[in-house]
């Protein structure tokens, strides 16, 4: 396509003049078209003598996005920006048209065909492999690559190709058709997760207690102190101790006061307060909405957890709200009620003075008897629910089902990073620093699938005293104290984490730390590896990257094929599954990379474990089966 490879913007402008002369473009639109093009060129430091190159071709949608962001920063109105996008779309369409004409004249590849070849080279795959991954007929894709142009019925397939390569919506469709001949098609992932849909509905109907009285706040604070201090005044079960830690991802505020004590963060308090706020919120929920209908001022006490009748009604409502599923939240609530009312070391059993804070109509005659009754009922519920089995209202592996079904699920992550590399910003500066940070984050999650909290708290120091450190031989490792893990009382209690980073990630680490991290805000104030960009953190906030998990969700939704988005924990499923598919029965290896107990891994990956015996038998009998 040498005929258009040297096309510059002056020549492009003259082509638009010809369209006006032929009546194909209204003369009244020409001044606005020329003005839009001049502003677009100025924003990128270009002139009319600059080559069109990829600016209005391969990189058009990315450049348009940057141009729009600059207009927004200037305070332009939405109508002005929409008009500018429409005008620039006409220039892009003209370039595509000229490229098609040149291709037909010189017998070269069309813009659409050229893009397909570029995508195949970029992904380092075959036509058959790409067709299989995207869900397109091999013969159809092969025909397009050889020069056959798609018909309008192929638009959904083109949209899947766009999503697979993380291209802007309509980037391929616009190359295949004249802009006026196609209608935009929604480009979001087609995967629907029932749990997320239900969660979206019920979260609009929030019922947690919003107004917390000073008396309830004091009750809760005293309870947290009882669960965390080394020498409590009341009896406490040996396994009922809560850990307070200084390893926190966010500072104490008026909104998260309930999970702090004496300046330290208490993870279990964070979880348990959810049960308290939900139960007390349900008590004050209107009867016509399924609640108990009590006044908000009457529910401000932990003493309600010794009311068996209300606890039972609440659990029934929870089950109905979850579409008749008995999920872990229901079982956890029963466990909490039983623990609070234990005859010997239950906190409420030892705090009879709390009964005076209940409304008189709901105040028990004998406090200890009420606690014993609540304990007996909750204990029975725990046993019954355990026997009946818990129904998971959420299937954690559902969003990545298509990934986990691959022979090697890690290949999907490799494809993801390839697509991320192709979207590297050309403008440099902060945008490129964010791109390098995101790429390192995904590759490090694949190499060392840690939980989001551990990733947020990951540190680097030039003297190698941080969590991420470099050994004398040039290899990179991650070391984390066992107390920093969620399972510090389980798998992590016997060993610290000190694991190698895959060598493929080493260059990304060094490039990010040396060139890109210093560009990000607060790089000189904190030693965390991953930092927020200016628009990812509250004004004035200095600390960990609070929205790290949301960023992973966005990146996987955009770049991980056929995935509606997952958090950091999804990478643990991918790596665990990939390990066990490559080495069936290697439970110790999977547990090591996940820093978890072997039995826990076996429980989570039972779908793989159940097939081990069958695969082993088939291997033994291969010679006989070969004759069949």
């Amino acid at each position: 396509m040498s005929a258009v490879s040297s096309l510059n913007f002056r020549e492009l402008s003259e082509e638009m003049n010809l369209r006006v002369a032929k009546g194909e473009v209204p003369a009244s639109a020409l001044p606005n078209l020329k003005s839009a093009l001049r502003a677009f060129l100025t924003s990128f430091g270009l002139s009319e003598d600059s080559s069109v190159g990829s600016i209005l071709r391969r990189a058009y949608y990315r450049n348009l996005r940057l141009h729009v962001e600059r207009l927004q920063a200037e305070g332009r109105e939405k109508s002005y920006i929409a008009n500018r996008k429409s005008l620039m779309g006409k220039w892009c369409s003209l370039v595509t048209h000229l490229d098609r004409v040149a291709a037909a004249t010189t017998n070269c590849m069309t813009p659409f065909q050229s893009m397909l070849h570029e995508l195949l080279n970029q992904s380092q795959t075959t036509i058959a492999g790409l067709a299989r991954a995207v869900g397109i007929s091999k013969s159809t894709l092969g025909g397009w690559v050889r020069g056959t142009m798609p018909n309008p019925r192929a638009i959904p397939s083109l949209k899947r190709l766009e999503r697979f390569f993380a291209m802007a919506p309509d980037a391929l469709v616009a190359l295949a058709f004249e802009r006026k001949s196609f209608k935009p098609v929604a480009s979001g992932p087609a995967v629907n997760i029932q749990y997320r849909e239900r969660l979206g509905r019920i979260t609009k109907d929030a019922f947690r207690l919003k107004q917390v009285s000073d008396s309830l706040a004091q009750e809760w604070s005293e309870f947290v102190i009882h669960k965390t201090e080394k020498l409590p005044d009341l009896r406490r079960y040996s396994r009922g101790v809560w850990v307070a830690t200084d390893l926190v991802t966010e500072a104490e505020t008026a909104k998260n006061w309930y999970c702090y004590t004496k300046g330290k963060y208490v993870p279990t308090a964070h979880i348990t307060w959810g049960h308290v706020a939900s139960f007390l919120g349900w008590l004050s929920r209107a009867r016509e909405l399924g609640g108990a209908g009590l006044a908000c001022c009457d529910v401000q006490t932990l003493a309600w957890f010794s009311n068996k009748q209300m606890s039972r009604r609440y659990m029934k409502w929870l089950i109905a709200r979850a579409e008749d599923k008995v999920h872990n939240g229901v079982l956890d609530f029963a466990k909490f009620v039983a623990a609070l009312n234990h005859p010997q070391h239950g906190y409420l059993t030892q705090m009879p003075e709390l009964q005076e804070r209940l409304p008189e109509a709901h105040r028990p005659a004998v406090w200890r008897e009420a606690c014993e009754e609540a304990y007996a009922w909750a204990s029975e519920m725990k046993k019954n629910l355990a026997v009946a089995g818990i129904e998971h209202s959420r299937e954690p592996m559902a969003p990545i089902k298509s990934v986990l079904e691959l022979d090697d699920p890690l290949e999907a992550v490799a494809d993801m990073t390839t697509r991320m590399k192709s979207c590297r910003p050309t403008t440099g500066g902060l945008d490129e620093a964010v791109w390098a940070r995101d790429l390192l984050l995904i590759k490090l999650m694949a190499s060392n699938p840690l939980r989001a909290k551990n990733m947020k708290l990951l540190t680097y120091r030039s003297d190698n005293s941080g969590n991420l450190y470099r050994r004398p031989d040039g290899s990179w490792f991650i070391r984390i104290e066992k107390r920093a893990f969620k399972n510090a009382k389980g798998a992590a209690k016997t060993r610290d984490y000190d694991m190698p980073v895959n060598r493929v990630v080493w260059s990304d680490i060094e490039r990010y730390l040396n060139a890109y991290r210093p560009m990000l805000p607060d790089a000189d104030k904190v030693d965390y590896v991953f930092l927020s960009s200016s628009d990812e953190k509250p004004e004035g906030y200095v600390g960990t990257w609070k929205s790290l998990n949301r960023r992973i969700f966005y990146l996987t939704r955009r770049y991980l094929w056929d995935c509606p988005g997952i958090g950091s924990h999804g990478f643990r499923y991918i790596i665990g599954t990939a390990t066990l598919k490559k080495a069936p029965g290697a439970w110790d290896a999977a547990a090591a990379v996940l820093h978890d107990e072997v039995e826990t891994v076996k429980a989570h990956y039972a779908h793989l474990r159940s097939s081990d015996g069958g695969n082993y038998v088939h291997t033994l009998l291969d010679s006989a089966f070969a004759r069949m």
Side-chain angles (χ1 to χ4, degrees), residues 40-47 50:
F40 183 82
L41 296 178
T42 300
S43 68
F44 290 101
L46 302 170
S47 69
S50 299

Side-chain angles (χ1 to χ4, degrees), residues 435-452:
W435 168 84
R437 178 205 65 186
D438 291 346
L439 183 61
L440 173 60
L441 174 63
I442 296 302
K443 294 178 85 169
L444 200 59
M445 287 294 306
S447 169
N448 302 71
L450 296 166
R451 293 178 175 87

Side-chain angles (χ1 to χ4, degrees), residues 224 227-228 241-247 261 263-267 483:
V224 175
K227 299 293 285 184
T228 55
V241 181
W242 293 357
V243 177
T245 177
D246 52 3
L247 296 169
T261 183
K264 290 193 173 185
Y265 175 70
V266 186
R483 69 188 183 97

Side-chain angles (χ1 to χ4, degrees), residues 371-504:
C371 291
E372 288 177 351
E373 187 178 4
Y375 172 75
W377 168 80
S379 298
E380 184 179 0
M381 289 302 100
K382 284 167 51 181
K383 293 178 182 177
N384 291 343
L385 292 175
V387 171
I390 299 298
E391 299 177 77
H392 294 288
S393 61
R394 175 177 69 94
E395 176 47 64
M397 296 188 186
I400 47 175
K401 181 180 178 181
S402 61
V403 173
L404 299 182
E405 288 175 347
L406 297 173
D407 291 337
D408 184 357
L410 196 56
E411 288 289 346
V413 181
D415 288 341
M416 176 184 177
T417 59
T418 298
R419 288 189 278 277
M420 291 179 69
K421 290 175 185 177
S422 72
C423 293
R424 179 175 183 167
T426 57
T427 54
L430 188 59
D431 286 342
E432 193 168 350
V434 169
W435 168 84
R437 178 205 65 186
D438 291 346
L439 183 61
L440 173 60
L441 174 63
I442 296 302
K443 294 178 85 169
L444 200 59
M445 287 294 306
S447 169
N448 302 71
L450 296 166
R451 293 178 175 87
K453 175 188 173 183
N454 299 119
M455 278 294 179
K456 290 180 184 179
L457 294 172
L458 203 65
T459 59
Y460 168 75
R461 304 185 188 101
S462 57
D463 63 358
N464 267 342
S465 62
N467 303 123
L468 180 64
Y469 70 100
R470 187 179 183 182
R471 291 191 170 184
D473 62 0
S475 61
W476 286 88
F477 274 66
I478 294 177
R479 61 186 167 209
I480 302 175
E481 291 182 272
K482 54 193 174 189
R483 69 188 183 97
F485 284 92
K486 174 185 176 182
N487 54 350
K489 290 185 177 181
K493 67 181 178 182
T494 59
R495 65 187 190 278
D496 293 331
Y497 182 93
D498 194 0
M499 297 287 286
V501 177
N502 191 288
R503 63 172 56 251
V504 172

Side-chain angles (χ1 to χ4, degrees), residues 227 334-342 345-348 375 378 382:
K227 299 293 285 184
K335 289 179 179 178
F336 186 49
V337 172
L340 286 173
N341 293 282
H342 192 278
H345 43 70
Y347 182 75
L348 292 181
Y375 172 75
K382 284 167 51 181

Side-chain angles (χ1 to χ4, degrees), residues 223 226-227 232-238 240 302 305-306 335-354 367-368 371-372 374-375 379:
F223 176 62
H226 164 74
K227 299 293 285 184
D233 295 331
L234 303 177
R235 292 185 300 275
R236 184 182 66 197
Y237 186 43
S238 59
L302 295 175
F305 282 88
S306 286
K335 289 179 179 178
F336 186 49
V337 172
L340 286 173
N341 293 282
H342 192 278
Q344 280 77 47
H345 43 70
Y347 182 75
L348 292 181
T349 305
Q350 302 175 78
M351 293 287 288
E353 60 268 29
L354 291 182
W367 179 251
R368 176 166 284 276
C371 291
E372 288 177 351
Y375 172 75
S379 298

Side-chain angles (χ1 to χ4, degrees), residues 51-244:
S51 173
V52 172
S54 65
I55 296 167
L56 294 183
R57 293 186 178 102
R58 176 73 172 89
Y60 168 68
Y61 287 96
R62 180 176 59 192
N63 293 334
L64 181 64
R65 175 178 57 80
L66 294 173
H67 185 54
V68 167
E69 288 174 355
R70 288 166 186 161
L71 293 175
Q72 291 171 335
E74 294 172 5
R76 299 288 189 177
E77 294 182 357
K78 291 182 178 179
S79 58
Y80 178 92
I81 294 174
N83 184 55
R84 178 63 59 82
K85 290 170 67 177
S86 175
L87 292 169
M88 288 309 304
K90 290 179 171 58
W91 287 107
C92 178
S93 296
L94 178 57
V95 172
T96 303
H97 174 75
L98 294 173
D99 287 350
R100 287 198 189 102
V101 172
T105 304
T106 60
N107 198 28
C108 293
M109 289 191 292
T110 64
F112 175 71
Q113 187 183 8
S114 178
M115 178 63 77
L116 289 180
H117 278 270
E118 184 178 338
L119 293 175
L120 282 167
N121 292 333
Q122 170 191 310
S123 61
Q124 298 179 344
T125 188
T126 62
I127 292 175
L130 179 58
R132 184 169 53 254
V134 181
I136 300 176
S137 163
K138 175 185 172 183
S139 59
T140 298
L141 181 59
W144 293 347
V145 171
R146 290 190 296 273
T148 303
M149 295 303 290
N151 59 47
R153 294 192 303 276
I155 288 180
S157 297
L158 295 175
K159 302 302 292 183
R160 288 201 296 276
L161 273 171
E162 289 172 354
R163 292 199 305 271
F164 185 84
F165 288 104
M167 303 174 75
D170 297 330
L172 269 178
V173 176
L175 293 178
F177 305 98
E178 292 288 347
R179 185 168 292 272
K180 62 185 178 182
S181 70
F182 71 91
K183 295 181 179 180
V185 179
S187 60
V191 179
N192 292 319
I193 307 301
Q194 291 185 356
Y195 168 76
R196 291 182 181 176
E197 292 178 352
R198 179 167 57 81
L199 187 63
R201 291 194 300 270
I202 65 177
T203 49
K204 295 177 182 178
D205 180 27
F207 65 95
R208 274 193 173 194
L209 186 68
K210 296 179 178 63
Q211 297 178 350
V212 178
S213 68
D214 291 340
S215 62
L216 175 58
Q218 182 64 28
E219 274 186 34
W220 178 255
S221 296
E222 290 173 358
F223 176 62
V224 175
I225 290 173
H226 164 74
K227 299 293 285 184
T228 55
E229 66 180 355
K230 291 181 171 59
L231 296 174
D233 295 331
L234 303 177
R235 292 185 300 275
R236 184 182 66 197
Y237 186 43
S238 59
R239 294 181 61 184
V241 181
W242 293 357
V243 177

